Amino acid sequence: MKQKKFMSVLDRKIVHLLLIVAIILAQPFIFARPIGVRAAETLPATPPSGYDRVNYGNPQGQVSYITYYSTATNSQRRARIYLPPGYSTNEKYSVMYLLHGIGGNEDEWYNNGAPNVILDNLIAAGKIDPFILVLPNGNASGNGVADGWENFTKDLINSLIPYVESNYSVKTDSQHRALAGLSMGGGQTFNIGLTNLDIFPYIGAFSAAPNTYSTSRLFPDNGAAAKSKLKLLFISCGTNDNLISFGAGVHNFCNSQGIPHHYWLIQGGGHDWNVWKQSFWNFAQMACAAGFTDNKSQEPSKPLSAFEKIEAEKFSSQSGIETEACTDTGGGYNIGYIHNGDYAVYKDIDFDTGAASFKARVASDTSGGTIELRLDSPTGKLIGSVSVPGTGGWQNWRDVTCSVSGATGKHDLYLVFTGGSGYLFNINYFIFSKSSSETGGGNNGGGNVSNPNPNPNPTWYVDERVIRHGECRPYDYYGAKDPTIVYYGGKYHVFYTGANQSGGWQMLYTSATTLDGLKNAPRTYMSKIGEAYFCAPEVFYFEPHGLWYLVYQDGTYGAAYATTSNISDPNSWSGPKSFGISGNMGWDYYIICDDKYAYMYNSPDDGSGKVYLRKTTLDKFPHGWSAPEVALNDTFEGAEVYKSLADGKYYLLVEDMKDGRYYELWTSSSAGGPWKQVAEKWAWRGNLKYNADKWTTHVSHGELIRAGYNQKLEINDINKVEFLIQGTTDISGPYQQINWDIGIIRNYDKDKQETPKSAFSKIEAENYDSQSGIETEACTDTGGGYNIGYIENRDYVVYKDIDFDTGAASFKARVASETNGGTIELRLDSPTGKLIGSVSVPGTGGWQNWRDVTCSVSGATGKHDLYLVFTGGSGYLFNVNYFTFSKSSPVALRELSGAGSGNNSLVYSLMNMYFLNAMKYFW
């Protein structure tokens, strides 16, 4: 079987090689200009002088690159797209796909054939209606692809066309889609178009090459389908082109079967751009005359029912968003790359007598945001809004719902997206309902999110501070600390403690539409509560009462609360009220609820290292608490509990201070425990990685940003959270005078590239995705930056989605060691996965005395997660600055040389490229 596969691949390569040779034989005429012919009154005809030159008095279209995901190659591919002058999303356009020749790509037509200029001039002259032109790469090669030219059929039909029709304002029926190409692309045009007449009724093949299928394959029914479905078949070639027989063969068959077509020979023309540009000029006009750009087959626009599933990518217009391939059930596309303030428009939506609820299918790898539902403009009537939580990934899908009111009759629907900085979320589809939905606060319920085991030692990325002490003096003179945060009504609401100069603690409030916006948002002293000592808040919306609760410690009751119906008004809170508890009092009271009980955790003030738990039923809340019982021992303070939607488990975070300030992580199947420890040091100085200044080396009293805002304290995924903490670099001196500030840390990299990273690029060691045991430190090697260090036996680092392409042969790392060093094992997909190589790291005389080490590699192809596993003796082993892989050197082959120069050198270079590529299969 291997021999058979080898020969089939070889055969295809030889066919391509022979095709090059055939094209070379056409060379005597390749750069000859066609002999002028008398202008015909009907098309096809010789174009007028200047048809392919820029006329700066004419409006000009725009040409740009597009990138789309191809299911045929399992990779991102690129094409060029021409949008005609005056392109508007209020109009629908026809689309023509124009293919290049062998050795070319998506740039060939644009760089040599001036198709955009030709169309600009035709449009300005009133010869054609505007349409969109797409210039693909017709060689859809990739890993595991035997023949990229044949594979292009799948790429075009299954990936490129859907991408264009999802991202641009185009007519999506076949009567407004055309296909044309030159040489190899002319053969592809025959092969793809004539065997897919339901997709391409307008076909133009210019100087078709030997890859053209036989007529029995092109017309399996002797042309019956072609007769009924073709709107235009245009075949052209130069009379001095040695490849003329391939187009002529199709022409002769069409004549024999009575298939209407146009066969145009350019007298004296060779296999050259003069033939191809003239052919394109004619085909564009003839296609338009045949109905390519008219609206006859387009049914009048009908209102779209709000109560049918609406694919998000089927917008009428948009601002800021993009479309991408979707892996949710049913596949297709979703909209994404959504930022705060972007929107999508769906015209003429019929709400009939009224909609009561809205449901959308969403995914987010960050903290999500909000979808505002507005009528007739981005600032029009608000009929509802739904919070979109993080779901643990850009393709981890779940449903979100909200109530809707005030939508009747026909309107343009605007989905307006709001949230923090960076990308917010993706949307696959949405639908309205006439019945009310049970939203559970808008975003609480289950969903198709990831279900990971908690990472006991994640990397925490430290962003800039968002609240600094001294910004609301005198109340925060020394410190800003103990934050609690919810996202509600398009804003982040933060309550926190200020340490004043006279020794007191008071609570403050701030809010902003983004996390970055908190830096400059106004600060407000909570004067309505106004005690001399009130601090360490927690805020949530208690749905059974329809009220916001602010839980805190005070000097009056010990454990107190206040309520409001308007979280945005810091002066609306009621005065302090008592929970009515006693015994083992102290500080840091924190409440979470399930469907039956409310649970209160707190730390006593006796230095015992215990955490206490009380509970009450929801109908008795906020009173009726049970006697305290011990939930944890041997810790410090600030316990808080969340429910993860990813796995349905509860997670308890508690602050300890055995090695600076840090957080432990515990888990349970119940909000009331019992608790099992996941990590002693889950968030600590050793796994902090700084995106900004090094403003903290301690992880102290903070709160996770939740998926919702109600009493259930739900997060999406414990492995993908944003943690608003108090931090500092110095905890010496009187505690009340420590200069705490507040900022975000997150256990995922929000700026991580989604595309695979090449193994053959330089990879900075500190840019790992996860790790076990190591730390990052400043590096003094050339280029500075950071290195990983404090490496001990069996520690490891992980670099996800590394692309080894067709294979790596060697590995090089930049290392330093003040001890005897150790070994780096290179493993795939797990710490005990396939070993592809190992390299010894010697002592170098110092932790910052750097040298390169190398080793051979085998068995690494395609995409894998790369694990660097470190082994050696006791103590610290070595540091790593960066690493890279390299491919094996190709077998040296003597290059072909061709006589002559100029144009022939281009041909021979192409032949040389293909010959060398084919010859690889002999070795």
Side-chain angles (χ1 to χ4, degrees), residues 69 120 165 174 194 196 289 299 330 378 485 528 534 561 571 614 619 691 772 777 795 828 835 871 879-880 899:
Y69 181 79
D120 286 345
E165 293 182 353
S174 65
L194 291 174
N196 293 277
E299 294 184 3
I485 183 171
K528 189 65 180 291
F534 61 117
Y561 70 91
N571 294 315
R614 298 168 172 84
D619 61 336
N691 294 331
S772 176
E777 63 181 2
D795 289 348
L828 301 183
L835 181 67
T871 62
N879 294 346
V880 184

Side-chain angles (χ1 to χ4, degrees), residues 680-702:
E680 170 66 22
K681 293 180 178 179
W682 183 58
W684 72 299
R685 62 176 175 81
N687 55 17
L688 299 182
K689 185 174 181 179
Y690 298 92
N691 294 331
D693 62 307
K694 194 173 182 178
W695 62 271
T696 185
T697 52
H698 299 269
V699 183
S700 186
H701 194 127

Side-chain angles (χ1 to χ4, degrees), residues 1-18:
M1 293 299 292
K2 290 183 179 178
Q3 179 69 14
K4 183 176 180 181
K5 182 177 181 181
F6 164 81
M7 291 305 298
S8 64
V9 172
L10 180 58
D11 289 345
R12 282 190 291 270
K13 292 294 178 178
I14 291 176
V15 167
H16 289 164
L17 181 61
L18 293 175

Side-chain angles (χ1 to χ4, degrees), residues 67 69 76 162-163 165-167 310-315 318 321-338 344 346 360-365 393-397 415 417 423-430:
T67 302
Y69 181 79
Q76 296 287 332
Y163 175 88
E165 293 182 353
S166 296
N167 284 272
I310 299 174
E311 296 290 341
E313 69 272 17
K314 299 298 184 183
F315 48 77
Q318 52 83 21
I321 67 164
E322 296 183 32
T323 303
E324 63 182 2
C326 179
T327 63
D328 196 12
T329 303
Y333 290 84
N334 60 260
I335 60 172
Y337 301 94
I338 296 171
Y346 304 85
R361 187 74 167 164
V362 299
S364 177
D365 200 26
W394 293 117
Q395 293 294 322
N396 289 345
W397 296 94
L415 301 188
F417 312 118
Y423 296 133
L424 304 180
F425 46 80
N426 294 345
I427 307 177
N428 187 3
Y429 56 82
F430 60 89

Side-chain angles (χ1 to χ4, degrees), residues 411-425:
H411 295 274
D412 292 346
L413 173 67
Y414 282 71
L415 301 188
V416 181
F417 312 118
T418 64
S421 59
Y423 296 133
L424 304 180
F425 46 80

Side-chain angles (χ1 to χ4, degrees), residues 5-78:
K5 182 177 181 181
F6 164 81
M7 291 305 298
S8 64
V9 172
L10 180 58
D11 289 345
R12 282 190 291 270
K13 292 294 178 178
I14 291 176
V15 167
H16 289 164
L17 181 61
L18 293 175
L19 178 58
I20 289 290
V21 174
I23 294 174
I24 290 173
L25 295 178
Q27 288 311 299
F29 309 101
I30 197 164
F31 289 95
R33 295 187 60 84
I35 298 173
V37 296
R38 185 172 56 86
E41 295 182 359
T42 58
L43 298 174
T46 301
S49 176
Y51 78 102
D52 58 348
R53 293 198 296 269
V54 176
N55 184 336
Y56 291 102
N58 292 339
Q60 296 177 15
Q62 296 181 345
V63 179
S64 61
Y65 285 112
I66 58 174
T67 302
Y68 63 99
Y69 181 79
S70 172
T71 58
T73 63
N74 293 318
S75 65
Q76 296 287 332
R77 304 198 74 228
R78 194 168 72 163

Side-chain angles (χ1 to χ4, degrees), residues 47 51 82 96-99 109 113-120 122 128 131-135 180-182 204 206 234 236 264 266 273-287:
Y51 78 102
Y82 163 87
M96 182 181 294
Y97 296 84
L98 185 60
L99 311 183
W109 263 104
N116 55 312
V117 176
I118 292 171
L119 293 183
D120 286 345
L122 287 172
I128 62 171
F131 62 83
I132 290 174
L133 183 70
V134 179
L135 309 176
L182 67 88
F206 320 147
F234 176 83
S236 68
W264 189 47
I266 302 174
W273 281 105
N274 289 295
V275 169
W276 303 328
K277 288 193 289 183
Q278 291 189 63
S279 297
F280 175 68
W281 180 85
N282 278 280
F283 179 70
Q285 296 178 79
M286 295 169 71

